[in-house]
C-alpha cells in the first residue's frame, strides 16, 4: 500500500481560465504591499471552506442553530467566569454566602440582636478557614465586621486562629486591615501578645510597603513599654535576638549602649543597614521611623549622618514633618545640610507651604528655615511669597502666626513653648566641634530637656539658637520681613482687622509685636508712618462709646484686647501718648472698673516718665478716692 501511494501520480491542479502556464508554475501572484487589505476572494490555496463565526455545522453539513442574542452571550460569559473562579478559588461558594450575610449585618438600621445572630452565623461558617479567606477583598471585610460587632469570647477565638499567621496576613494588601482591626479591638493582654509576636520581624515589616502600616499602628496603640519593645530590635542585632536585655529605664539609645557595653560602630552599621532600604523605598510617613532616625543621629558619626541627611534632603522630607520627631529630623536636615541640600528641601515645600504653616509640627521647620538659611532670595521666592498670599489666615492661626512672630521677635519664650525652643536648639553631636565623645558625662544639644529650656526667669527673654548660617541674624530678618514687602502687607492687615485681631486669642500677639515695631526695632524707621496708622486704628476702637445694646464687647472690656492694650501702654510710649490724647483723656472715671481699670492704671505703671505725667493729673483723684490702685508706687516703696 505504501509503495502504491509513493508511485501514484500527483494530482494536477485545476488551471484558472485565462492563465498561461510558465513552465511548472502558474501566473505569478502580485506581491502584497505593507498595509494593503487582504483580498476578500478565496484563493486557490485555501483548503477549508469559509465558515460563518456565528453558525455551527452539523455532521451532515447542514447549518443548525441561529446565533446567540446579546443577552444570551452575556449570560454565557458570566457562567464561564463563574466556572473559572470556582476552579481558581478554593472557598468560592463560602465567600459568596459570607458576602450575602455581610450585606445584611453591615446595615445601620439593623437591630443589635439580629446583627449578633448574623455575626455568629458567619463565624460558624468560616471557622477554621479565616486565615485562608482573610486575603480576599470581600471576605476580609466580612471578618473585619465580625471582629467589630462580635462578643469578646468570639473575638478571642478569631485571634487564636489567626495568631500563627499574623506575619503573613500583615503583609497582605487586604488582610492588613483585619490585623489593624484586631489591634483596635484587642484587650491589653491581647495587644501585648500581638506586639510580642512581631519580635524579630519589626525591621523586615518596616521595609515592607504593607507591613509597615501594621507596625506603625501597633506603635501608636502600645504603651511606653510596648513602644520601647518595638524600637529595641532596630538598634542592634543583640537586641533583635534577646528582647529582655534592657529595662524601661534605658529608653535612650546612648544609655543602652553604655549599659550593655555595645560597640558604637556596630550599632551604627546595624541601624544604617536597616534605615537605608526604608529611605530608598520612601517609607517615611510613620512616627516609629522618625524616632529611629532621631536616635540614629544621636550616635552617628559625621559621614553616616551626612549620608542620611543627603537622602532626606528632598521633597521626601515634607512627608515626615507632621510628627514631633519628624519635625526635629527636618530641623536637623535644615541646620546641618549643605546649601544645595537646603535648596532641595525648600523647593520641595513649594506647593505645600500653606499646609505646613498650619501644622503644629511642620510650622517649626519653617521657623527654622527662616532663622538659619542664608539664601534669602530663595526663601522669599518659595516661602515668603506663599505666606503673603495667605497672610490674613496665618495672622489669627495658632500655628501659622509662629512664622510671623519668629521674624518679628525671634525665639521668644512668650510665643514658643520650652519644648519647641528645645527642638530649635537640636543638633547632631558629630557636627558640633565642642562635643567630647570620649567623655560619658558630656551632654549634647540633642539632649536638651524641657526643664533646661524653661529655666529662664524672664518670660520674654529670647533663647539663642544654635547657629546654622553665616549671615547676621538681624540682616536676615531685615531681608525676609522688611525688604520682601511682607512687613508692609502685615501692617495693612493689622490696620484693616484691628478689632478682630485684638479680640483674638492668637492674633493679639501679632498686632502687639507690629504696634511696638518688633524686637530690636526691626520695623523702624522704614514703616514709622504705617505704625502710626496702627496706633490710630487701635485708639479709634478705644474711643468708641460704650453701648449696652451692642452684641460685641468694647475693646477695653474684652479679656484679650484689654490686656493687649495694657501691654502696649507699658512697652510703647508713642502708642500711649496717641491713645491718651485721642481716646482716654477726660474719660478715665468711666473706665475705672472691670477689665478696663487695668488699662487706665497702666499709665501710672509705665516706666516712661512722660507717659506717667500725661495721666497723673486726671488719675490722682481716682487713686485718692480708692477707685484705682497705683501698684508702681507700692513696688518702689518696698
Amino acid at each position: 500500500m505504501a509503495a502504491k501511494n509513493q508511485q501514484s501520480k500527483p494530482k494536477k491542479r485545476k488551471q484558472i481560465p485565462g492563465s498561461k502556464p510558465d513552465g511548472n508554475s502558474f501566473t505569478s501572484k502580485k506581491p502584497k504591499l505593507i498595509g494593503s487589505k487582504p483580498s476578500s476572494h478565496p484563493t486557490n490555496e485555501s483548503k477549508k471552506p469559509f465558515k460563518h463565526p456565528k453558525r455551527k455545522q452539523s455532521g451532515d453539513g447542514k447549518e443548525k442553530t441561529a446565533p446567540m442574542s446579546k443577552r444570551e452571550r452575556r449570560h454565557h460569559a458570566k457562567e464561564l467566569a463563574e466556572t473559572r473562579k470556582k476552579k481558581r478559588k478554593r472557598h468560592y461558594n463560602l465567600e459568596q454566602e459570607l458576602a450575602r450575610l455581610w450585606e445584611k449585618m453591615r446595615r445601620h438600621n439593623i437591630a443589635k440582636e439580629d446583627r449578633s445572630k448574623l455575626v455568629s452565623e458567619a463565624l460558624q461558617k468560616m471557622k477554621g478557614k479565616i486565615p485562608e479567606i482573610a486575603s480576599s477583598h470581600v471576605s476580609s471585610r466580612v471578618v473585619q465586621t465580625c471582629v467589630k460587632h462580635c462578643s469578646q469570647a468570639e473575638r478571642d477565638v478569631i485571634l487564636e486562629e489567626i495568631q500563627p499567621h499574623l506575619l503573613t496576613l500583615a503583609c497582605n494588601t487586604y488582610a492588613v486591615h483585619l490585623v489593624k482591626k484586631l489591634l483596635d479591638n484587642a484587650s491589653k493582654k491581647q495587644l501585648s501578645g500581638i506586639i510580642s509576636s512581631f519580635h524579630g520581624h519589626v525591621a523586615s515589616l518596616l521595609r515592607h510597603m504593607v507591613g509597615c502600616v501594621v507596625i506603625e499602628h501597633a506603635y501608636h496603640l502600645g504603651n511606653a513599654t510596648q513602644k520601647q519593645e518595638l524600637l529595641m530590635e532596630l538598634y542592634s542585632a543583640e537586641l533583635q535576638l534577646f528582647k529582655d536585655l534592657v529595662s524601661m529605664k534605658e529608653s535612650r539609645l546612648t544609655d543602652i549602649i553604655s549599659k550593655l557595653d555595645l560597640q558604637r560602630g556596630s550599632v551604627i552599621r546595624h541601624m544604617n543597614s536597616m534605615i537605608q532600604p526604608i529611605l530608598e523605598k520612601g517609607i517615611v510617613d510613620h512616627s516609629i521611623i522618625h524616632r529611629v532616625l532621631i536616635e540614629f543621629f544621636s550616635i552617628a558619626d559625621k559621614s553616616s549622618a551626612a549620608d542620611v541627611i543627603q537622602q532626606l534632603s528632598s521633597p521626601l522630607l515634607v512627608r515626615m514633618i507632621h510628627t514631633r520627631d519628624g519635625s526635629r529630623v527636618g530641623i536637623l536636615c535644615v541646620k546641618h545640610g549643605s546649601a544645595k541640600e537646603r535648596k532641595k528641601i525648600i523647593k520641595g515645600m513649594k506647593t505645600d507651604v500653606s499646609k505646613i504653616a498650619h501644622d503644629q509640627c511642620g510650622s517649626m521647620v519653617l521657623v527654622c528655615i527662616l532663622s538659619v538659611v542664608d539664601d534669602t532670595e530663595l526663601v522669599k521666592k518659595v516661602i515668603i511669597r506663599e505666606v503673603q498670599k495667605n497672610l490674613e489666615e496665618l495672622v489669627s492661626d495658632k500655628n501659622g502666626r509662629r512664622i510671623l512672630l519668629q521674624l518679628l521677635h525671634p525665639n521668644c519664650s512668650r510665643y514658643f513653648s520650652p519644648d519647641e525652643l528645645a527642638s530649635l536648639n537640636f543638633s547632631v553631636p558629630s557636627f558640633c566641634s565642642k562635643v567630647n565623645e570620649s567623655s560619658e558625662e558630656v551632654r549634647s544639644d540633642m539632649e536638651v530637656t524641657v526643664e533646661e529650656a524653661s529655666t529662664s526667669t524672664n518670660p520674654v527673654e529670647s533663647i539663642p539658637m544654635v547657629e546654622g548660617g553665616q549671615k547676621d541674624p538681624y540682616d536676615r530678618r531685615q531681608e525676609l520681613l522688611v525688604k520682601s514687602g511682607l512687613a508692609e502687607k502685615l501692617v495693612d492687615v493689622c490696620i484693616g482687622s484691628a478689632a478682630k485681631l485684638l479680640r483674638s486669642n492668637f492674633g493679639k500677639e501679632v498686632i502687639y509685636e507690629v504696634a511696638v515695631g518688633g524686637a530690636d526695632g526691626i520695623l523702624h524707621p522704614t514703616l514709622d508712618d504705617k505704625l502710626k496708622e496702627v496706633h490710630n486704628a487701635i485708639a479709634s476702637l478705644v474711643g468708641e462709646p460704650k453701648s449696652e445694646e451692642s452684641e460685641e464687647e468694647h475693646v477695653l472690656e474684652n479679656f484679650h484686647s484689654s490686656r493687649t492694650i495694657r501691654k502696649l501702654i507699658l512697652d510703647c510710649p508713642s502708642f500711649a501718648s496717641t491713645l491718651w490724647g485721642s481716646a482716654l483723656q477726660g474719660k478715665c472715671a468711666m473706665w475705672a472698673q472691670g477689665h478696663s481699670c487695668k488699662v487706665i492704671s497702666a499709665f501710672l505703671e509705665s516706666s516712661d516718665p512722660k507717659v506717667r505725667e500725661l495721666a497723673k493729673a486726671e488719675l490722682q483723684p481716682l487713686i485718692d478716692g480708692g477707685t484705682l490702685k497705683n501698684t508702681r508706687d507700692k513696688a518702689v516703696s518696698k
Side-chain angles (χ1 to χ4, degrees):
M1 290 294 292
K4 287 182 179 181
N5 289 337
Q6 289 178 0
Q7 291 176 3
S8 62
K9 296 180 181 179
K11 293 181 180 180
K12 292 183 179 180
R13 295 183 181 181
K14 291 181 180 181
Q15 187 174 340
I16 300 173
S19 64
K20 295 180 179 180
D22 185 13
N24 295 326
S25 63
F26 292 97
T27 53
S28 60
K29 298 178 182 179
K30 293 182 180 180
K32 288 184 179 180
L33 299 178
I34 298 174
S36 64
K37 296 182 179 178
S39 176
S40 60
H41 300 288
T43 63
N44 56 355
E45 295 180 358
S46 60
K47 296 181 180 179
K48 294 182 180 180
F50 174 77
K51 292 182 180 180
H52 196 282
K54 296 181 181 178
R55 298 179 181 269
K56 295 183 180 180
Q57 286 187 343
S58 60
D60 55 1
K62 295 182 180 180
E63 296 178 356
K64 64 176 190 181
T65 55
M68 290 189 293
S69 66
K70 190 174 181 181
R71 182 178 180 182
E72 289 172 341
R73 288 199 305 270
R74 188 167 61 247
H75 183 69
H76 181 63
K78 188 176 180 181
E79 287 180 350
L80 291 175
E82 290 283 329
T83 305
R84 285 194 299 269
K85 287 179 181 178
K86 287 179 181 179
K87 290 180 180 179
R88 189 173 68 251
K89 296 182 179 182
R90 183 182 172 189
H91 303 289
Y92 179 74
N93 292 329
L94 174 61
E95 290 178 8
Q96 295 299 307
E97 293 176 19
L98 293 175
R100 285 191 287 271
L101 288 173
W102 181 56
E103 288 296 334
K104 297 176 183 178
M105 71 173 73
R106 73 191 185 107
R107 293 174 184 169
H108 294 290
N109 57 351
I110 189 172
K112 191 174 180 179
E113 295 79 10
D114 296 338
R115 181 185 280 130
S116 299
K117 290 178 182 178
L118 292 170
V119 168
S120 299
E121 184 182 351
L123 290 174
Q124 190 64 33
K125 286 180 179 293
M126 58 186 170
K127 186 177 181 181
K129 308 181 189 72
I130 296 177
E132 298 177 40
I133 66 174
S135 301
S136 171
H137 174 60
V138 176
S139 301
S140 174
R141 291 171 177 263
V142 178
V143 185
Q144 289 175 56
T145 306
C146 291
V147 169
K148 182 179 179 182
H149 297 292
C150 69
S151 63
Q152 186 61 44
E154 291 173 326
R155 195 175 294 123
D156 294 342
V157 173
I158 296 172
L159 184 58
E160 185 180 353
E161 186 175 342
I162 285 179
Q163 187 86 29
H165 309 276
L166 269 176
L167 294 175
T168 306
L169 297 176
C171 296
N172 184 273
T173 308
Y174 301 120
V176 66
H177 302 293
L178 171 59
V179 179
K180 288 173 63 179
K181 185 66 72 174
L182 284 170
L183 285 167
D184 288 332
N185 293 276
S187 61
K188 291 182 179 180
K189 185 178 179 180
Q190 290 173 339
L191 181 61
S192 179
I194 294 173
I195 291 175
S196 296
S197 66
F198 294 142
H199 180 74
H201 304 278
V202 175
S204 59
L205 286 171
L206 280 176
R207 289 193 293 268
H208 196 278
M209 295 297 290
V210 178
C212 62
V213 177
V214 175
I215 297 297
E216 173 68 6
H217 203 66
Y219 184 76
H220 272 293
L221 294 174
N223 54 32
T225 305
Q226 291 163 345
K227 287 182 178 180
Q228 193 66 18
E229 184 180 340
L230 291 170
L231 286 169
M232 284 294 180
E233 65 181 86
L234 303 174
Y235 294 156
S236 72
E238 292 86 349
L239 291 167
Q240 190 172 7
L241 295 172
F242 310 103
K243 62 179 181 179
D244 297 325
L245 292 177
V246 293
S247 62
M248 271 303 297
K249 294 179 182 178
E250 299 83 16
S251 59
R252 293 172 56 254
L253 180 54
T254 50
D255 296 336
I256 294 170
I257 291 173
S258 60
K259 181 187 177 181
L260 299 181
D261 198 19
L262 299 174
Q263 292 184 354
R264 186 180 291 261
S266 175
V267 175
I268 292 171
R269 285 192 298 273
H270 177 83
M271 294 188 71
N272 209 3
S273 66
M274 188 272 301
I275 289 171
Q276 290 299 332
I278 292 174
L279 298 184
E280 288 171 5
K281 291 184 177 181
I283 309 173
V284 295
D285 303 275
H286 307 309
S287 57
I288 185 172
I289 295 170
H290 305 165
R291 186 65 206 169
V292 171
L293 286 171
I294 285 291
E295 293 293 345
F296 176 75
F297 281 132
S298 69
I299 64 161
D301 56 83
K302 199 168 183 178
S303 61
S304 300
D307 289 342
V308 174
I309 289 173
Q310 185 179 5
Q311 278 187 287
L312 291 174
S313 298
S314 64
L316 203 67
L317 194 66
V318 178
R319 292 162 50 195
M320 297 180 62
I321 57 180
H322 61 281
T323 66
R324 179 172 172 267
D325 289 323
S327 174
R328 290 179 175 181
V329 171
I331 289 171
L332 292 178
C333 291
V334 171
K335 291 175 73 172
H336 297 296
S338 62
K340 186 177 180 180
E341 290 163 354
R342 289 175 178 176
K343 188 174 183 180
K344 288 181 181 179
I345 292 171
I346 295 170
K347 283 191 172 182
M349 297 179 174
K350 190 171 185 179
T351 57
D352 300 302
V353 172
S354 178
K355 184 179 178 181
I356 295 170
H358 285 85
D359 184 72
Q360 182 178 1
C361 300
S363 60
M364 295 305 298
V365 180
L366 292 180
V367 167
C368 181
I369 290 173
L370 297 176
S371 307
V372 168
V373 178
D374 289 335
D375 190 356
T376 52
E377 290 302 318
L378 176 65
V379 176
K380 284 192 285 187
K381 185 178 179 181
V382 177
I383 296 176
I384 300 298
R385 185 180 295 176
E386 290 297 318
V387 169
Q388 289 177 345
K389 290 179 183 178
N390 303 280
L391 196 57
E392 293 185 8
E393 295 178 16
L394 295 176
V395 167
S396 300
D397 186 72
K398 178 182 178 180
N399 301 312
R401 69 196 169 99
R402 294 173 175 177
I403 300 166
L404 305 171
L405 292 170
Q406 178 67 7
L407 292 171
L408 290 166
H409 195 154
N411 311 319
C412 180
S413 58
R414 184 193 295 146
Y415 310 130
F416 297 95
S417 69
D419 185 59
E420 290 165 349
L421 290 173
S423 298
L424 290 174
N425 278 284
F426 267 25
S427 64
V428 178
S430 57
F431 282 95
C432 300
S433 58
K434 294 181 181 181
V435 175
N436 180 12
E437 295 183 358
S438 62
S439 175
E440 296 182 358
E441 297 179 357
V442 173
R443 303 183 65 198
S444 66
D445 290 318
M446 288 196 67
E447 300 169 29
V448 175
T449 60
V450 175
E451 290 77 16
E452 291 172 337
S454 60
T455 52
S456 172
T457 55
N458 186 0
V460 192
E461 182 183 350
S462 299
I463 300 175
M465 275 182 58
V466 176
E467 294 184 4
Q470 298 178 355
K471 187 175 286 188
D472 182 69
Y474 184 85
D475 293 340
R476 186 188 294 111
R477 288 172 58 210
Q478 188 79 19
E479 291 175 16
L480 294 175
L481 183 61
V482 181
K483 295 181 181 179
S484 67
L486 175 62
E488 188 173 356
K489 287 189 176 182
L490 181 59
V491 173
D492 290 336
V493 169
C494 291
I495 294 170
S497 306
K500 178 184 174 182
L501 294 177
L502 283 171
R503 294 182 176 94
S504 170
N505 189 20
F506 304 114
K508 64 180 182 181
E509 296 168 347
V510 177
I511 195 171
Y512 165 80
E513 290 293 345
V514 169
V516 298
D520 304 321
I522 190 74
L523 302 182
H524 299 296
T526 311
L527 298 171
D528 280 346
D529 294 337
K530 286 273 188 181
L531 294 182
K532 289 180 181 178
E533 294 182 31
V534 176
H535 297 168
N536 290 329
I538 298 173
S540 64
L541 292 171
V542 175
E544 289 178 358
K546 183 178 180 180
S547 175
E548 295 180 359
E549 298 177 358
S550 177
E551 296 179 359
E552 202 170 32
E553 286 182 306
H554 194 276
V555 289
L556 290 183
E557 295 181 327
N558 180 267
F559 179 84
H560 298 298
S561 57
S562 61
R563 279 154 178 76
T564 305
I565 294 169
R566 170 185 166 80
K567 276 201 300 183
L568 284 171
I569 295 170
L570 295 173
D571 300 335
C572 185
S574 60
F575 170 78
S577 59
T578 301
L579 182 65
W580 179 262
S582 60
L584 292 179
Q585 191 173 12
K587 302 177 183 177
C588 292
M590 182 177 62
W591 300 111
Q593 293 179 350
H595 288 305
S596 56
C597 72
K598 296 180 179 180
V599 178
I600 303 301
S601 61
F603 283 94
L604 298 175
E605 298 168 12
S606 175
S607 57
D608 192 300
K610 293 181 180 179
V611 174
R612 293 199 301 271
E613 287 298 323
L614 281 173
K616 189 175 181 180
E618 186 173 341
L619 298 182
Q620 191 61 45
L622 297 175
I623 295 171
D624 296 338
T627 308
L628 285 179
K629 295 180 180 179
N630 191 352
T631 56
R632 177 180 176 81
D633 292 344
K634 292 182 180 179
V636 171
S637 62
K638 288 181 180 179

